[in-house]
Amino acid sequence: MSPFNIPPTGSFVMQEKPSVKSQKIIIAIDGYSSCGKSTLAKALAKKLAYSYIDSGAMYRAVTLFIQQHDISLSQLEEMTQKQMEGLMDNIQISFHVNPDSGLSEVFLNGLNVEKRIRDLKVSDWVSPVSAIHEIRHRMVELQKGYGSHKGIVMDGRDIGTEVFPKAELKIFMTAKKEIRAKRRFDELNSKGFMVTLDEVMKNIQDRDYTDTHRSESPLRQAEDAIILDNSNLTEQEQFQFALNLIKELNVPIPV
Ligand code: DC
């Protein structure tokens, strides 16, 4: 019996495009926190009419569940394999396309949590949570499934190294810490989250450290990834940079 009294809410649902024997590819975008991975990934997915999956949103949704159930980080880290499996059996993550934006949003046990998972409280816990083996194992399994028909852009930390080591295009994004913190601060403020620049900077530094030092699938650049430092690039410039890489692969691009 699981300690979490949450009814199952149906299986994973994602609006898949019909599988044509296509020249569609997988685009893996990895990099540090807050360096604009999702902005680029969404723009590319839109341009190519591909699916977009924000893998960080999945770890954030798991973190939200843990916080909602008053499980502390130390309790989590002390769980036995069986307890951890029981916990994960109660967590259903799915993506559904928002008809207004055309983008996929993350659902936790049937509820849209796309906004709530951006809270700094979730950001503060998500790196240690995502370092736990059973959690990574379950999320990576789901992520691999999403790419089975190609035609997908996925961003995260281990997409080019673990999830899709054979992705046709891998981009590793980076930018100066101060610039990343300011961008994230502006974004959070514009969404109504009350945070200080110092808090955002600390969170970014802590996550960079945990994400690059964890034992399982640490953030690192895949050997065949192309580096994109966007410290001094506009969104349009970074988009153009990536689009040029796609053109070089002769991938069909809708006009
Ligand atoms: O992309 P993001 O900042 O929303 O990701 C939140 C956290 O999730 C990040 O600090 C590390 C973890 N993460 C991960 O371990 N592997 C991924 N593929 C994506 C995110």
Side-chain angles (χ1 to χ4, degrees), residues 11-27:
S11 55
F12 167 76
V13 185
M14 203 182 118
Q15 277 75 356
E16 276 293 353
K17 291 173 191 70
S19 168
V20 280
K21 202 165 168 243
S22 66
Q23 305 114 310
K24 288 185 175 178
I25 62 168
I26 293 181
I27 302 177

Side-chain angles (χ1 to χ4, degrees), residues 53-116:
I53 292 288
D54 172 359
S55 69
M58 300 168 71
Y59 294 101
R60 286 173 178 272
V62 172
T63 304
L64 181 65
F65 181 93
I66 286 160
Q67 291 180 340
Q68 284 173 337
H69 290 79
D70 293 325
I71 303 168
S72 70
L73 278 178
S74 52
Q75 281 172 323
L76 192 70
E77 279 156 4
E78 280 161 18
M79 279 187 185
T80 62
Q81 170 83 9
K82 220 174 160 46
Q83 286 170 324
M84 188 56 83
E85 283 170 11
L87 171 71
M88 293 309 290
D89 286 345
N90 282 282
I91 300 179
Q92 294 257 348
I93 309 277
S94 55
F95 284 91
H96 300 269
V97 174
N98 176 329
D100 294 332
S101 65
L103 291 167
S104 54
E105 296 186 341
V106 71
F107 283 60
L108 168 63
N109 291 331
L111 285 180
N112 187 331
V113 290
E114 184 63 34
K115 181 156 193 287
R116 297 188 60 189

Side-chain angles (χ1 to χ4, degrees), residues 55-56 59-60 126-127 130 136 156-158 207 211 214:
S55 69
Y59 294 101
R60 286 173 178 272
V126 64
S127 276
S130 68
R136 292 208 76 74
R157 304 293 186 289
D158 60 344
R207 285 204 288 148
D211 294 348
R214 66 181 179 218

